[in-house]
Amino acid sequence: MASNTRLLWLCIFVSVLVSVASAVTLFNNLPAEDFKEFKKSPFVRVVYFYKHDIPRLQNFLDDFKESSEILQDYGVKTGIVNCKEDPVKEFCERKHPIESHILIFKSGYVMTELGLDSMFSVDAIMSNILQMVLLGEVPIVQSSEELNTIMKISKGQKDVLFSYQKAVGTYEHRIFMEVAFVYGQKYKFAFTTSADVIPTISTFDVRTPSIWFLQCTAAKKTDKACPVLRYTGPMNLVTFSRYMKLISIPNVVDLKPDNAQTPFGDLNIHQAYVFTNNALYMETKTTVEDVAKDFIGLVGFAIVNVGKTDNAVFHKLGYGSKVKSVPSVTMKVVGSEGLGAMEIQFTSTNLKNFINDKIVTYSEDHQEEYPETEEESIDELFEVPPEEIQDDPIAEDAYLLRRKKVTSPHIPALTDNTSPEFIHNKAVGLIMFYVNWDAKTQVFMEQYAMAGEELAKKTNDATSPLARVNCADWPDVCENNNITRYPTFKLFKEMKLHSDYEGKMDKGSVVKFVSLHLLESPVVLRMKADVESFITGTYPSIISGEVETLVLGLFAEDTDKEAKVFSKVGKELHGQHLLGYIVGPVAKEIASRFETDVPSVVVVKLNDKLQPYIVLPEKLPTEDMIASIKQSSLPTFGELKASNFMAYQSLQRPFVILFGTTEIINGQTSQVIGEIAKSGQFSDFIFCWMNLDDDSSMGNYILHSYITEPAIPSVVMVNHKEGKVYSYPQPYDITNAGISKWLDLLKGGEITNPTSEFREGKWKPMMPGYDFLFFIDTEMGLKKEPEEREFRSGGIIRPKAGKELDIQQAEAPHAPPHTEL
């Protein structure tokens, strides 16, 4: 009865919610008969098509209205088409949810569609639309190569304002775009959302939005890069606009003989006065102009020729009489009354240091802060609520990237019409099926775009073999491809579904997978030169640099039984490993180099100095050969990383791990462990190492979880199956004999007391989940005081004031124990 009552109340609540939410207020109504002319304008036009109410629509409309009033100053007009009362059939009858997007038109064409999920504030609307207004003029830089190209084109032509933004749609991005609109004719503007691009111009550690002034006008075509200055002021429209005005005027001027005023007086900028005479004028001016380049936008320099300047000017500058010593320098910092004099000899270095000291002192005394706004500060905007990241690290990364939109011509978005065209036109094509809200998709999308760009270069195809389908927009396409989880990757070859990609979700792995599928497997090697290049990883060229191991088959004839097995293995491992074979006399000659004979299969490991190749046992059946290739491809004694942990663990053997610094890893201790691993005497163990150079490294974290006070170096044996850790008892005397004896004892079960044991791990939330009903109350203006509320939300009981919460009630169901590394 109680449950039925709650259900009834929930139904009533939902009906009230729907009725309240439907009362949206539209503005700038655009009649259907005016729509055609409206969108034909050569200027940007923004249209929202209202079909029915959706969550948070009124919030968007309020922000859209405020933005529309401001956008008029930039030549942008907005309108709302009411699809219920006066529809534009071409758009209102679309299958995909047009009510969840705004459309941007120019000259009669749709420039782009922007989802309302990215229109979360006035700043987001303003910055995204201004990005369209300045399309082509303010590029989003994705790589260092793109930034270098911009600088190369701008040398001798235009200075460049380049910015790092955490995401499109933030307050700082809006500021940058508004200034770009005003100064875009005089300067080149560009920005990036990738911190990896910044080392191209600066060693500054970007954690917040930043701007650099690239002085490309003065750079020569032969110069390696443009001189760079970082904007150090707060990111607000007033201050950044003033900075633009400052860099637009010369920061070195000659003071007029009868006037103590400089053009910098009203610009709230530090001023330096350099006193000289007729004889030293040109030398002094050259020195000042050289130094002034480093202080553009910060300091204005006025050169005072004491032989030509009136006494009244000196009095206004604070001098009782003419300056007697030249060249000399005084500086007036912002807000100060008096002048600070440089007491040491006038040189370029001394002048630069003097100016720097004055600026640093001023900055320490006047810490500038971002102005308070009604919007969130950048730190608040990107602060991650614990509820958002309590599931896993991917959720944290996805939350940080939630407003970052990845657009790339190298991963085109397909539709129900273009999907068949893509599959038909590509000999090999990989399609990513996804939804925007999926955390793994959000984190991986940028890597996928980078993989597409890399493959476009390898294949000389502007569109690359990669594409994507948003299942939220095209559910029929995804249903036809049997998509049941996100993201799913399907590889098509010769217009047919070939296989699913289930490898690691990173750029390198995708590039390797597709590159291998662009080749036949196994690759037929016809000449000795082909084999020579193949075993160095440079043939075929498309796979160069993508593989660390390769498999070479050496046979007398391609009709041999072993050759047929090898061919079958090649097809099974297509996309995972590079296999190639050669037959005849050349095969026999190459076999002798590996101290074997035909028929043979050799696994070549390009980065394994201890064991650069392994000859597999003869006459292996297909399944055994596949298993041997996978096992032999692992380094004999390599670094243990997250990317290879699962491959090692799949062998189900204990790990022997050397923990040490780079010096130890490259030294005698490592050689001892390496020789033991190479000998094959202890094939029941997996040998690997982890670096301890960084105190915050994973190696340090793991070692200290095994041993409370570990020695450096440390050698430990980890038995994941039993959950036990054994530490080598003589860490400062690591010898072949000592380690071998220790491993023999472990292997024979003679050491029974482990150094430590794994704790039983339980994955539990850090805290109760979100109270979504409370969010709905707040959204609808029905918020109650805490003491009035007592209801369940997501399985969590919220008590009234004065009652204690039973912690056991708040715990989520326990997950099964997990494996620790």
Side-chain angles (χ1 to χ4, degrees):
M1 181 68 183
S3 60
N4 291 336
T5 302
R6 284 197 298 269
L7 180 59
L8 176 61
W9 278 110
L10 181 59
C11 292
I12 294 172
F13 180 83
V14 170
S15 65
V16 171
L17 178 65
V18 171
S19 64
V20 175
S22 62
V24 296
T25 304
L26 304 180
F27 67 98
N28 282 1
N29 289 319
L30 181 61
E33 61 180 0
D34 297 338
F35 173 74
K36 190 173 182 180
E37 288 300 318
F38 186 78
K39 73 173 184 175
K40 275 186 178 181
S41 171
F43 303 103
V44 169
R45 297 292 180 256
V46 185
V47 180
Y48 175 67
F49 294 86
Y50 171 70
K51 291 178 70 174
H52 55 78
D53 300 340
I54 57 176
R56 299 185 62 83
L57 177 59
Q58 188 60 59
N59 287 356
F60 161 71
L61 291 174
D62 291 342
D63 291 338
F64 190 38
K65 182 177 182 180
E66 184 178 343
S67 302
S68 299
E69 296 171 358
I70 305 171
L71 285 167
Q72 291 183 36
D73 296 335
Y74 299 94
V76 178
K77 290 186 178 180
T78 64
I80 296 179
V81 173
N82 191 331
C83 292
K84 284 184 174 182
E85 300 177 2
D86 189 14
V88 177
K89 292 185 178 181
E90 178 186 357
F91 294 95
C92 291
E93 295 181 0
R94 278 191 179 185
K95 289 183 180 179
H96 86 94
I98 196 170
E99 68 276 7
S100 297
H101 298 75
I102 60 171
L103 272 64
I104 300 181
F105 296 88
K106 187 175 182 180
S107 302
Y109 296 98
V110 178
M111 296 178 68
T112 190
E113 298 182 19
L114 298 175
L116 297 194
D117 58 345
S118 64
M119 305 287 104
F120 48 84
S121 67
V122 173
D123 291 329
I125 296 171
M126 287 287 299
S127 59
N128 276 287
I129 293 176
L130 285 175
Q131 191 72 53
M132 291 297 104
V133 173
L134 300 174
L135 189 67
E137 298 177 36
V138 184
I140 303 176
V141 176
Q142 303 286 353
S143 65
S144 297
E145 290 77 13
E146 292 181 21
L147 180 55
N148 283 324
T149 299
I150 290 174
M151 288 193 288
K152 183 178 179 181
I153 295 172
S154 300
K155 286 176 183 175
Q157 304 293 326
K158 269 188 177 183
D159 291 330
V160 179
L161 274 299
F162 183 71
S163 177
Y164 164 73
Q165 298 289 337
K166 282 198 169 183
V168 172
T170 62
Y171 169 76
E172 290 79 5
H173 178 227
R174 170 188 171 180
I175 297 302
F176 189 73
M177 295 307 300
E178 289 196 62
V179 172
F181 184 91
V182 176
Y183 287 92
Q185 294 298 318
K186 187 168 184 178
Y187 299 97
K188 177 68 178 177
F189 286 78
F191 74 94
T192 186
T193 55
S194 172
D196 293 338
V197 177
I198 304 307
T200 307
I201 58 169
S202 175
T203 58
F204 182 70
D205 182 16
V206 288
R207 297 183 182 180
T208 56
S210 303
I211 298 173
W212 289 265
F213 176 44
L214 313 183
Q215 302 171 64
C216 295
T217 302
K220 299 177 182 177
K221 294 292 185 183
T222 54
D223 291 344
K224 188 174 181 180
C226 303
V228 179
L229 289 176
R230 187 172 70 86
Y231 168 66
T232 57
M235 191 77 78
N236 61 58
L237 189 58
V238 173
T239 310
F240 185 40
S241 297
R242 184 173 67 237
Y243 177 79
M244 293 303 302
K245 187 173 182 179
L246 288 169
I247 65 175
S248 300
I249 63 174
N251 72 329
V252 179
V253 298
D254 287 304
L255 195 69
K256 294 180 180 180
D258 58 350
N259 192 344
Q261 296 297 319
T262 69
F264 316 119
D266 298 327
L267 294 176
N268 200 34
I269 187 176
H270 307 304
Q271 298 182 66
Y273 297 91
V274 183
F275 300 95
T276 186
N277 57 22
N278 290 331
L280 298 173
Y281 175 79
M282 289 307 300
E283 181 182 347
T284 303
K285 187 169 185 177
T286 300
T287 300
V288 172
E289 287 178 338
D290 181 58
V291 171
K293 293 176 184 177
D294 292 336
F295 298 100
I296 293 176
L298 280 175
V299 181
F301 293 80
I303 299 177
V304 184
N305 190 329
V306 297
K308 297 180 178 180
T309 304
D310 294 343
N311 283 335
V313 172
F314 290 105
H315 282 287
K316 289 180 179 178
L317 292 177
Y319 286 86
S321 60
K322 285 193 175 184
V323 177
K324 297 178 181 179
S325 176
V326 293
S328 61
V329 182
T330 61
M331 185 170 174
K332 183 178 182 181
V333 298
V334 174
S336 67
E337 295 296 330
L339 297 170
M342 185 173 79
E343 305 291 347
I344 54 179
Q345 183 182 0
F346 180 85
T347 66
S348 176
T349 301
N350 287 344
L351 176 58
K352 187 178 295 185
N353 291 339
F354 170 71
I355 300 293
N356 267 326
D357 289 343
K358 289 291 184 182
I359 292 175
V360 169
T361 301
Y362 174 82
S363 298
E364 290 174 350
D365 294 339
H366 303 78
Q367 289 293 332
E368 291 187 292
E369 300 178 353
Y370 284 81
E372 292 184 5
T373 67
E374 294 181 1
E375 306 297 329
E376 297 172 298
S377 72
I378 194 67
D379 290 333
E380 291 171 340
L381 188 62
F382 288 93
E383 183 181 355
V384 185
E387 292 90 346
E388 292 286 352
I389 61 172
Q390 62 181 341
D391 295 328
D392 54 50
I394 295 177
E396 178 175 2
D397 287 341
Y399 186 86
L400 291 171
L401 295 169
R402 68 196 187 282
R403 291 169 179 150
K404 184 174 183 179
K405 302 299 177 185
V406 176
T407 57
S408 171
H410 304 299
I411 50 168
L414 304 181
T415 66
D416 54 350
N417 293 322
T418 57
S419 296
E421 293 177 9
F422 177 84
I423 294 170
H424 183 271
N425 294 332
K426 295 291 181 184
V428 173
L430 182 69
I431 300 179
M432 174 184 181
F433 297 89
Y434 70 97
V435 287
N436 283 326
W437 46 257
D438 174 64
K440 294 189 291 295
T441 297
Q442 293 168 2
V443 173
F444 177 62
M445 189 63 79
E446 186 173 13
Q447 289 279 309
Y448 191 60
M450 292 165 63
E453 183 178 3
E454 180 69 20
L455 286 165
K457 294 176 183 177
K458 284 179 173 286
T459 59
N460 294 318
D461 186 337
T463 57
S464 88
L466 304 188
R468 57 196 168 104
V469 173
N470 188 337
C471 293
D473 292 339
W474 304 103
D476 52 334
V477 177
C478 296
E479 184 178 353
N480 291 338
N481 285 277
N482 298 316
I483 305 303
T484 57
R485 59 187 174 90
Y486 308 108
T488 293
F489 302 85
K490 290 190 176 290
L491 184 79
F492 295 85
K493 292 187 70 172
E494 298 175 353
M495 296 181 287
K496 294 181 180 179
L497 176 62
H498 182 273
S499 63
D500 286 3
Y501 171 67
E502 296 181 344
K504 289 180 286 188
M505 291 173 60
D506 61 56
K507 170 193 167 186
S509 298
V510 172
V511 170
K512 175 184 173 182
F513 176 78
V514 176
S515 298
L516 286 172
H517 275 289
L518 289 167
L519 304 170
E520 292 300 319
S521 183
V523 177
V524 180
L525 307 171
R526 305 188 183 281
M527 298 182 293
K528 182 179 179 180
D530 293 343
V531 181
E532 296 286 357
S533 299
F534 181 80
I535 61 178
T536 60
T538 57
Y539 180 84
S541 60
I542 195 170
I543 203 65
S544 179
E546 302 298 340
V547 294
E548 295 183 351
T549 62
L550 47 92
V551 186
L552 176 64
L554 304 164
F555 309 106
E557 299 287 343
D558 54 13
T559 57
D560 290 351
K561 181 180 179 181
E562 292 82 0
K564 291 180 179 179
V565 171
F566 187 78
S567 180
K568 188 175 181 181
V569 169
K571 290 177 173 54
E572 289 288 330
L573 294 179
H574 202 181
Q576 301 177 47
H577 292 271
L578 176 62
L579 284 78
Y581 75 95
I582 190 166
V583 299
V586 175
K588 191 171 183 66
E589 180 185 347
I590 297 296
S592 64
R593 182 185 304 182
F594 294 105
E595 301 176 345
T596 186
D597 201 354
V598 294
S600 288
V601 175
V602 183
V603 177
V604 180
K605 298 186 283 186
L606 302 177
N607 297 325
D608 192 341
K609 295 179 181 179
L610 281 173
Q611 201 171 25
Y613 68 88
I614 294 176
V615 179
L616 298 186
E618 298 180 10
K619 299 181 179 179
L620 288 173
T622 303
E623 294 302 321
D624 290 349
M625 185 179 291
I626 290 173
S628 295
I629 288 172
K630 289 182 177 180
Q631 180 176 333
S632 301
S633 297
L634 295 171
T636 307
F637 176 50
E639 182 179 8
L640 179 60
K641 300 178 288 188
S643 58
N644 61 23
F645 172 69
M646 293 306 297
Y648 279 127
Q649 194 190 39
S650 66
L651 300 177
Q652 296 185 338
R653 300 175 191 168
F655 287 17
V656 176
I657 311 174
L658 168 64
F659 292 92
T661 60
T662 299
E663 183 179 357
I664 293 169
I665 300 301
N666 294 331
Q668 180 64 32
T669 301
S670 183
Q671 291 179 18
V672 168
I673 307 297
E675 288 299 322
I676 293 173
K678 181 181 177 181
S679 70
Q681 180 183 354
F682 297 99
S683 58
D684 291 338
F685 297 97
I686 294 168
F687 293 85
C688 48
W689 56 267
M690 297 193 80
N691 195 295
L692 303 179
D693 282 348
D694 187 351
D695 289 341
S696 61
S697 68
M698 182 58 70
N700 259 302
Y701 175 80
I702 292 173
L703 177 59
H704 282 82
S705 71
Y706 292 161
I707 308 171
T708 305
E709 296 183 1
I712 306 297
S714 282
V715 179
V716 301
M717 190 277 276
V718 185
N719 189 324
H720 293 100
K721 188 174 182 180
E722 296 179 1
K724 295 179 180 179
V725 177
Y726 300 85
S727 175
Y728 180 61
Q730 296 174 298
Y732 301 111
D733 186 26
I734 296 176
T735 62
N736 193 307
I739 294 291
S740 297
K741 182 178 179 180
W742 178 63
L743 292 176
D744 275 328
L745 293 172
L746 286 169
K747 188 176 178 181
E750 297 180 46
I751 300 178
T752 57
N753 294 323
T755 306
S756 61
E757 296 187 37
F758 289 171
R759 298 183 301 274
E760 182 182 6
K762 294 182 179 180
W763 294 105
K764 296 191 297 183
M766 296 183 294
M767 59 184 61
Y770 280 132
D771 184 346
F772 287 105
L773 291 180
F774 179 70
F775 290 168
I776 294 173
D777 285 351
T778 304
E779 179 77 16
M780 305 312 302
L782 303 175
K783 183 176 179 180
K784 300 178 182 179
E785 294 302 318
E787 60 270 14
E788 298 177 5
R789 308 176 68 249
E790 181 179 9
F791 56 84
R792 288 175 174 82
S793 175
I796 301 164
I797 298 177
R798 304 286 185 181
K800 294 180 181 178
K803 294 184 179 180
E804 295 186 3
L805 174 64
D806 185 349
I807 297 299
Q808 293 180 350
Q809 292 176 317
E811 288 187 350
H814 297 329
H818 61 281
T819 301
E820 291 193 20
L821 174 59

